Amino acid sequence: MTTPSSRPVRIGVQIAPQHSSYQTIRDTLAELEDLGVDIAFNWDHFFPLSGDPDGLHFEGWTMLAAWAEQTSRIQFGPLVTCNSYRNPDLLADMARTVDHISAKDGGVGRLVFGIGSGWFERDYDEYGYEFGTAGQRLDSLSEALPRIEARWAKLNPAPTRDIPVLIGGGGEKKTLRIVAQHADIWHSFSDTATLERKLGVLGEWAEKVGRDVSEIEISVGTRGARGDGLPDMDRQLELGVTLFTLGVTGPDIDMQGVRDLVRWRDSVSS
């Protein structure tokens, strides 16, 4: 199937870094690459988001450096890193370094730089960051992205390529403006009706900032290619979504949904 954007349909899987040993996470990543998944994500939090709130949990960026070394084909990144937790110039340097680690045999790196404004208050409170308001955190993200882009231009060695920026979130007044200005990929967890409306808003912001909205890949979280999820995915594909991401989590990671998604991708791509 040819998508409206003429991009290939891709499958992402977010491995939640919670409730599992690192060996389980490592083995899951290896299986995702073997299955032909396009992108593996983790997240940038300090505590579990579901289940036991004090259960097993690992830090995201150190994990991504290990993923860069472990894998050879699959793209990977945070879904998403929190802008609040690190100096933007440092974050740019971290991303550039992890991207270089992932470049194999003289090729280019495979990091997808997912970023958002942050939302999980416990992370802020327990690690000593100022939570502020949602508006303040979005303003901070808007200020940080030009600094990140400028730092990438100054680093030696330079990034292996233009690192793709994924911005997560669906706020129509601020987030989608930031997406229009800076993102290569926009990710949300919108249902189909909400997605259709927000795509219209994104198009309006892109026109205002002088950007061709077709330059931005559209990504959504999905329940998978089974049961009631399939009609939504077909409709979202018609709307221009080309990246569908399923979340998996420990302690018992179920890979059947991943296999179903990969088969669905291959069927609509043939």
Side-chain angles (χ1 to χ4, degrees):
M1 176 183 294
T2 301
T3 63
S5 64
S6 299
R7 290 188 177 90
V9 177
R10 302 196 292 167
I11 297 303
V13 175
Q14 184 184 48
I15 307 173
Q18 62 178 13
H19 307 311
S20 296
S21 68
Y22 189 71
Q23 181 63 55
T24 297
I25 293 171
R26 181 191 293 118
D27 292 348
T28 300
L29 177 64
E31 186 171 357
L32 294 182
E33 187 163 49
D34 289 345
L35 285 171
V37 168
D38 298 285
I39 307 177
F41 294 108
N42 63 6
W43 67 40
D44 188 23
H45 294 287
F46 307 132
F47 301 95
L49 298 183
S50 62
D52 180 358
D54 295 312
L56 299 175
H57 197 278
F58 292 99
E59 194 279 324
W61 271 99
T62 44
M63 183 182 292
L64 290 173
W67 287 12
E69 194 64 70
Q70 175 186 342
T71 59
S72 60
R73 179 201 61 79
I74 197 169
Q75 291 188 318
F76 63 95
L79 189 65
V80 291
T81 198
C82 177
N83 172 66
S84 306
Y85 300 157
R86 300 163 194 89
N87 170 284
D89 292 85
L90 172 61
L91 184 56
D93 203 343
M94 291 165 56
R96 180 280 312 250
T97 299
V98 169
D99 195 57
H100 269 268
I101 294 169
S102 70
K104 308 293 185 179
D105 300 322
V108 298
R110 293 173 286 115
L111 177 73
V112 175
F113 183 72
I115 191 168
S117 60
W119 62 272
F120 190 41
E121 190 168 1
R122 184 184 180 190
D123 286 343
Y124 288 79
D125 291 345
E126 295 215 27
Y127 277 58
Y129 297 105
E130 182 180 353
F131 188 58
T133 67
Q136 288 170 334
R137 295 193 298 276
L138 281 165
D139 290 342
S140 179
L141 176 62
S142 183
E143 293 165 3
L145 282 162
R147 286 180 58 182
I148 291 167
E149 293 162 354
R151 180 57 54 187
W152 280 338
K154 295 175 183 176
L155 288 169
N156 184 15
T160 66
R161 90 279 201 223
D162 290 335
I163 297 174
V165 174
L166 178 154
I167 295 177
E172 298 179 9
K173 293 182 179 179
K174 289 189 176 183
T175 303
L176 292 182
R177 172 181 57 80
I178 298 170
V179 169
Q181 291 172 316
H182 297 282
D184 300 290
I185 306 169
W186 169 52
H187 179 84
S188 75
F189 293 95
S190 303
D191 61 36
T192 303
T194 302
L195 176 69
E196 188 166 12
R197 185 187 75 250
K198 289 185 183 294
L199 285 171
V201 176
L202 178 60
E204 292 170 1
W205 275 119
E207 184 175 359
K208 288 177 182 177
V209 304
R211 182 99 184 270
D212 184 347
V213 73
S214 69
E215 296 174 3
I216 303 169
E217 183 173 13
I218 308 303
S219 168
V220 296
T222 182
R223 295 173 294 167
R226 291 181 288 178
D228 294 337
L230 191 56
D232 279 342
M233 290 170 60
D234 287 339
R235 175 58 182 145
Q236 289 166 354
L237 189 64
E238 293 173 355
L239 291 172
V241 177
T242 54
L243 175 55
F244 296 84
T245 297
L246 177 71
V248 298
T249 187
D252 300 314
I253 295 178
D254 180 5
M255 298 294 284
Q256 186 56 52
V258 176
R259 298 185 186 95
D260 291 339
L261 268 178
V262 170
R263 283 195 293 270
W264 175 82
R265 177 201 64 192
D266 294 345
S267 71
V268 298
S269 300
S270 61

